[in-house]
Amino acid sequence: MKILFVAGDPKPERWTVPTQALLPDAEIHVWDADAPACDADYAIVWKPPAQLFEREKNLKAVFNLGAGIDGLLKVPNLPADITVVRLEDAGMAVQMAEYVMHQLVDITRTMAVYRAQNAEGRWQIHRPIKRSEWPIGIMGLGHIGKRVARTLVSLDYTVHGWARGEHEIDGVTTWSGEDHFATFLGKTRVLINTLPLTEATWGIINRQTLSDLRPEAVLINVGRGEHLVEEDLLTAMDEGQVIRAVLDVFNQEPLPEDHPFWARGNITITPHISARTLRDDTLRQITGKIRDHSEGKPISGIVDVERGY
Amino acid sequence: MKILFVAGDPKPERWTVPTQALLPDAEIHVWDADAPACDADYAIVWKPPAQLFEREKNLKAVFNLGAGIDGLLKVPNLPADITVVRLEDAGMAVQMAEYVMHQLVDITRTMAVYRAQNAEGRWQIHRPIKRSEWPIGIMGLGHIGKRVARTLVSLDYTVHGWARGEHEIDGVTTWSGEDHFATFLGKTRVLINTLPLTEATWGIINRQTLSDLRPEAVLINVGRGEHLVEEDLLTAMDEGQVIRAVLDVFNQEPLPEDHPFWARGNITITPHISARTLRDDTLRQITGKIRDHSEGKPISGIVDVERGY
């Protein structure tokens, strides 16, 4: 069995050596734009070049090194009938849950105020907040959205969830479909986005969405930059409808130096680190699926390419 | 029924008005050092003066406005046979759990580094941490310690717990008694203190305790300042055995302006805000117990004064 590794890591051996250890009988290649086809059976990829699918005609499946497969689906020449497999969790959901939790509590418990006092050597107690004043709405109720929801429920926050399809999560009021989107937003003060990026969700956080939220709203975006119409967020902040945003993803990454977000004290910016691919967990999952697939066993995580996730 | 409110709040009506609403038939008094006895049946107190017990001889029970009753037990003249009732949860445990969670993630995910980059307009991704490198040990497994433990387990941290008696908590390795204290510390890198303050726990976090921890340890103290021998922490930090501390409680509060803790960049100081008494929840609990007690029904939360909690 031949496996082709296609990702922009300058040290691909960090991936290929453990892959070889996990699949001792496999022949492992690293993508080289100038090399001929190696007739790979499987490819492990992150944002692969279009030539991959021109050159490698025997691929039985492509394994994406992340949960979001929007980067892979937009590659031209992706054969319509190829099996695309996304990463399932592999330690991402828990990282996302703790990131969201941390950022939420930073806001609700005014931790920045206490950090500033700490730096100044000042002891001052502020009025405690009521968690009933911070109803939360989570967009996207896949593996990640569900885990974020459960974490926040466990800390007694009021949590609403919205997704295209129907979901049931203990302690969460769930809403589904476009018809209930505005109702969901009307219950929400802290909007958390964990949606996959598809044609249907592109630009879903826009002026209308933000104005449907409860007053003095907060946005936490850990989905994709393209979910948010960035100028609409700035307008909603100027109008006071949104008082704070935590953004881990952006239309353009790295976020350009002259982007207006940097100058806003009420926008928290992190460089796409809310959930990182953990190499060991990821390769254990992917090599296990390659073994199963090669033996004709069913595997999970196969993407519905039409739907986009 | 007469109820006496004894706490240093400059606006006692914030407490007495809702108490009256909850117990319409009660006669409610506010402590006045210069007034004669009012023959109260019950007292609701926070760090009461010694005269309280000299003057009020008919008290059937004293309700403490907090979970920690060390401040009450050290009042001279506290009658040996009086019923002392501590606050049970009333929204404190969840606040403590989210505070600990927030501070832990702030450290393990190097959020201060990302905040500094944010302020400088810099986009830089750092190596993700492995949560296996941050084994946690929780001292004290009462209501608060258990809730902290459950929250951290839900985020896939390795959690050990230690208390005087035996406890069982899903996903937590628990240890009990002095004999297992050093073993527990040897498993722990992040030591979280939620113990009650008693004669047995006074100064329990000292030079020996800190040196028994795993290397590059972290201390999070949300118990009481007196649990920690403050100069021993400074020594352990100077020696590099402890790399970071988060302190919400201190031997002297407010922390004096010239205290050496303020000058340490690797000590996070908050002004005793990890869990705040929430007035509504607290008064609902206490008035419910007063009603039950006056009707001869059993109540929970009665303190074992000998044991100290």
Side-chain angles (χ1 to χ4, degrees), chain B residues 130-158:
Chain B
K130 290 188 176 156
R131 70 195 59 223
S132 61
E133 291 172 1
W134 298 93
I136 288 157
I138 300 173
M139 298 166 71
L141 298 172
H143 197 77
I144 287 170
K146 280 200 175 79
R147 181 121 192 196
V148 171
R150 284 199 199 99
T151 299
L152 300 179
V153 165
S154 81
L155 292 169
D156 296 356
Y157 284 92
T158 301

Side-chain angles (χ1 to χ4, degrees), chain B residues 189-236:
Chain B
R189 182 169 176 200
V190 181
L191 184 65
I192 298 169
N193 175 40
T194 73
L195 284 167
L197 184 63
T198 67
E199 273 181 37
T201 64
W202 196 281
I204 193 170
I205 308 170
N206 51 42
R207 187 131 191 209
Q208 185 62 52
T209 313
L210 296 171
S211 64
D212 284 344
L213 293 170
R214 290 168 70 140
E216 305 200 316
V218 169
L219 171 66
I220 301 180
N221 190 12
V222 290
R224 285 282 187 257
E226 294 87 345
H227 284 127
L228 172 66
V229 182
E230 295 187 339
E231 52 277 29
D232 287 5
L233 173 63
L234 293 172
T235 307

